[in-house]
Amino acid sequence: MRAKTMDGREIDLRQEELDSFKKRLRGPVIAPGEAGYAESRAVWNSMIDKKPALVARCLGTADVIACVQFASEHRLLLCIKGGGHNIAGLAAADDALMLDMSLMRGVWVDPQRKVAHAQAGCLLGDVDRETQVHGLAAVLGFVSLTGITGLTLGGGFGYLTRRWGWTSDTVLGIDVVTADARLVRASSDENADLFWGLRGGGGNFGVVTGIDYEVHPVGPEVVGGVVAWPAAAAPAVLELYRTLAAKAPPELTLVALMRPAPPAPWLPKDMHGKPIVALLACHSGDPAEGEKLVAPIKSFGTPIGDVLVRRPYEQMQSLLDATQPKGRRYYWKSEYLSSIEPALCEKVIAHAARIPSPHSAVVLFQIEGALNRLEEEHSPVGNRDARYVLNVAGSWEQAAEDGANIDWVRGTWNDMKSFSTGGTYVNFLTEDEGPERIAAALGKGRRRLAEVKAKWDPQNVFRTNRNIKPA
Ligand SMILES: Cc1cc2nc3c(=O)[nH]c(=O)nc-3n(C[C@H](O)[C@H](O)[C@H](O)COP(=O)(O)OP(=O)(O)OC[C@H]3O[C@@H](n4cnc5c(N)ncnc54)[C@H](O)[C@@H]3O)c2cc1C
């Protein structure tokens, strides 16, 4: 079987080598053409079409260790798939050995210590499901099908970020198999340099097998959902967003977006496909207080749909899932903002009016709060001046439409990037981003990351990521 080495050479793996590798694993090892290969290699963004030489579906830490040993014996290129949601498709690489972590989805919650231990193949919804049994929640993202590991290693933000910071700020410990195939614990008092690097440095330092999150009392009921108006109301609605967001307590997270109306049952049929403006809200504190805080949204103007209600937290966490299905074509450009300026809102409205696809959107996420109170050097995520995230999110069906959609995303972003803090979110970077944008995402921690990389992965075994060259 043909495979690629770390340094790009092609090699042949002999059948007996493959057979002995398979025997070292509990989980299945799958070659191209075999059952399960197509599913494992596919990532969320169908713009990416990579074909690994071999997929190892790890069933536990011992399988991960066996994979890293085998890769090291043959100097094989390795790639690691968590949820496969990275827009740049970093989970997959041509002719590599792919470690597919998706069979490792256990979650254990200690309600006394308020800690959840999650295996590295978990999706966000797996962790929410188990933590909510105890009325607890970890700080995770907005779409329940996203992988926890890629999200956490790059920072992570969601409805609870305003209260407790980036997801990575809430991590207590990480179990990781290093380049020399050792299982190592990284926490503030064990291998603290590695722990620092992992909380923003992505998959550069090893294969994560499990993460301990600090969890907080949330739900089971929150006040959350969406209210939508026709795009003609956008100037007033975005002004409402600006003023409400500026005074919202950390329990309340507000998101504004403009897009063509999706064919959702809560929106009138004659509005489907027509341009709308919407406010998404989640209040994770006392529901009675939440209802008071979102009342000005619900009573504003003449909405065409309103599903901003008391609902289970778990339901809130999956509310957006249907808008981001696996297998469409996606292209994003994103920036951190320190405030929402009226001039930015004007640009949002102008560019949303030219969206070429029924699925694309311009989105403003509010994240200010706890993350701004930590030092820039707390972790490599940095960007402690970020208060909002702008995402120009292109999404469409056919390859023939790539040009028009990518042009719209780039044009919109070009016209808005002057509002940026200068920083951008590493987990939202597309495949075509160069060193300048990666530098903008990793910020001031780059030199220290290179030192941590040199200590823990001097040969750069873990390179199919936003790669940090060893110092
Ligand atoms: C629909 C959608 C919604 C999103 N919403 C949010 C959001 O609300 N908040 C947010 O912060 N982000 C969000 N993101 C971005 C998300 O954080 C990234 O896409 C992230 O990479 C997803 O993690 P994953 O495990 O699915 O990634 P993968 O694509 O599986 O992997 C991404 C990278 O992480 C590395 N990696 C994965 N698992 C491991 C492991 N076990 N050990 C070492 N390295 C590993 C891979 O090598 C790769 O480099 C969203 C993405 C999508 C597609």
Side-chain angles (χ1 to χ4, degrees):
M1 160 174 294
R2 304 293 283 171
K4 209 185 264 174
T5 64
M6 289 193 294
D7 27 38
R9 275 182 307 114
E10 288 215 340
I11 54 161
D12 261 322
L13 290 171
R14 283 179 289 117
Q15 192 56 46
E16 55 268 32
E17 288 168 336
L18 284 178
D19 291 343
S20 95
F21 175 48
K22 284 182 187 174
K23 286 197 191 118
R24 284 152 76 175
L25 259 68
R26 244 185 339 133
V29 175
I30 309 169
E34 291 180 354
Y37 176 83
E39 191 196 342
S40 276
R41 83 168 183 96
V43 294
W44 169 79
N45 184 0
S46 70
M47 300 265 282
I48 312 289
D49 182 26
K50 301 265 168 73
K51 297 183 183 71
L54 218 50
V55 176
R57 303 199 72 197
C58 298
L59 270 174
T61 301
D63 281 1
V64 172
I65 291 173
C67 287
V68 175
Q69 280 169 341
F70 182 70
S72 144
E73 285 155 20
H74 299 275
R75 290 191 57 77
L76 288 179
L77 180 65
L78 266 183
C79 61
I80 310 157
K81 184 179 177 191
H85 255 210
N86 188 275
I87 188 161
L90 295 175
D94 283 328
D95 306 316
L97 168 61
M98 173 188 267
L99 275 68
D100 175 354
M101 304 296 284
S102 64
L103 296 178
M104 292 175 60
R105 287 173 64 176
V107 182
W108 295 266
V109 182
D110 181 337
Q112 269 73 46
R113 286 174 55 230
K114 300 227 170 17
V115 176
H117 176 78
Q119 283 186 305
C122 283
L123 306 182
L124 308 191
D126 301 332
V127 178
D128 287 331
R129 184 169 161 82
E130 296 301 329
T131 52
Q132 279 291 281
V133 169
H134 307 276
L136 299 167
V139 176
L140 298 169
F142 295 92
V143 170
S144 76
L145 304 171
T146 311
I148 60 161
T149 305
L151 179 135
T152 306
L153 299 183
F157 64 89
Y159 297 118
L160 304 180
T161 293
R162 298 200 59 215
R163 298 177 76 179
W164 295 296
W166 300 117
T167 300
S168 57
D169 294 340
T170 68
V171 169
L172 299 171
I174 301 181
D175 299 320
V176 54
V177 173
T178 52
D180 52 0
R182 277 183 308 132
L183 174 64
V184 164
R185 173 82 177 162
S187 69
S188 54
D189 45 32
E190 275 175 274
N191 302 305
D193 59 339
L194 179 62
F195 185 53
W196 181 86
L198 284 164
R199 288 172 301 151
N204 266 285
F205 307 106
V207 187
V208 170
T209 57
I211 305 178
D212 289 347
Y213 294 98
E214 112 197 350
V215 288
H216 304 272
V218 170
E221 211 174 38
V222 296
V223 172
V226 200
V227 180
W229 300 260
V237 171
L238 293 182
E239 184 54 27
L240 176 74
Y241 177 67
R242 262 170 37 79
T243 49
L244 286 185
K247 62 183 184 199
E251 287 79 6
L252 179 62
T253 294
L254 294 171
V255 177
L257 61 108
M258 290 197 70
R259 57 165 295 165
W266 60 280
L267 290 169
K269 272 210 171 82
D270 62 344
M271 282 302 292
H272 294 176
K274 307 244 170 71
I276 57 166
V277 58
L279 295 187
L280 178 69
C282 177
H283 184 274
S284 58
D286 171 24
E289 184 58 22
E291 281 171 338
K292 274 191 229 150
L293 288 164
V294 302
I297 301 176
K298 292 172 73 73
S299 63
F300 192 77
T302 315
I304 55 164
D306 176 355
V307 283
L308 178 45
V309 293
R310 286 191 189 214
R311 64 172 77 238
Y313 175 70
E314 243 189 292
Q315 194 187 83
M316 184 72 212
Q317 284 290 88
S318 56
L319 206 67
L320 300 179
D321 288 6
T323 66
Q324 309 290 323
K326 182 175 173 181
R328 270 198 204 136
R329 305 177 79 78
Y330 293 95
Y331 188 82
W332 296 348
K333 284 279 187 191
S334 181
E335 294 292 334
Y336 288 129
L337 312 172
S338 56
S339 63
I340 304 288
E341 313 265 334
L344 174 96
C345 296
E346 284 171 23
K347 289 188 186 290
V348 170
I349 294 167
H351 289 286
R354 294 195 278 272
I355 290 178
S357 154
H359 310 303
S360 300
V362 185
V363 191
L364 297 165
F365 301 94
Q366 185 183 22
I367 55 170
E368 73 169 313
L371 76 87
N372 306 118
R373 291 193 287 275
L374 288 169
E375 295 295 315
E376 187 72 15
E377 295 73 28
H378 179 78
S379 75
V381 179
N383 288 293
R384 300 282 167 187
D385 54 351
R387 293 185 156 72
Y388 294 87
V389 182
L390 162 70
N391 198 21
V392 185
S395 163
W396 63 99
E397 310 270 357
Q398 303 297 334
E401 299 159 3
D402 286 2
N405 285 281
I406 292 172
D407 282 355
W408 171 76
V409 174
R410 285 198 186 132
T412 303
W413 168 74
N414 263 318
D415 195 33
M416 291 202 203
K417 63 184 180 196
S418 60
F419 295 93
S420 172
T421 58
T424 183
Y425 183 31
V426 72
N427 277 345
F428 282 4
L429 293 179
T430 44
E431 199 188 15
D432 57 353
E433 298 286 16
E436 221 173 88
R437 296 269 292 162
I438 295 166
L442 294 176
K444 299 191 178 118
R446 270 184 307 151
R447 181 188 293 258
R448 192 165 159 198
L449 276 173
E451 286 163 13
V452 180
K453 178 80 174 178
K455 176 170 163 196
W456 290 94
D457 184 19
Q459 307 289 323
N460 203 6
V461 170
F462 303 105
R463 59 178 67 197
T464 53
N465 43 46
R466 292 296 171 195
N467 198 230
I468 295 152
K469 299 273 175 302

